[in-house]
Amino acid sequence: MSALRRQWLWPIALAASTLCGLLSALAGEGGLWWLLCWVALGVPLVTIALCVARRRSSGGR
């Protein structure tokens, strides 16, 4: 895998997850749609929290 593709893989995946979550929130009303919305919008937030926790545990470097 090229360095450019490796560098942009996660940002594109997180953007796709966010877009999927926002569209499912607009498209559906309750039930499975809300579950899909919460999961899809939660993935980027969990990713951010894990990256911050990992950075703090490594001493901020």
Side-chain angles (χ1 to χ4, degrees):
M1 184 180 298
S2 73
L4 184 63
R5 182 178 290 177
R6 195 171 343 126
Q7 180 180 0
W8 286 100
L9 179 66
W10 282 108
I12 291 173
L14 292 174
S17 175
T18 302
L19 182 63
C20 179
L22 292 173
L23 290 177
S24 67
L26 289 173
E29 269 198 44
L32 184 62
W33 287 105
W34 283 357
L35 177 66
L36 177 64
C37 171
W38 278 101
V39 170
L41 290 175
V43 168
L45 295 176
V46 169
T47 304
I48 291 168
L50 290 174
C51 289
V52 168
R54 187 179 344 162
R55 186 166 174 104
R56 285 189 181 172
S57 69
S58 69
R61 292 183 181 196

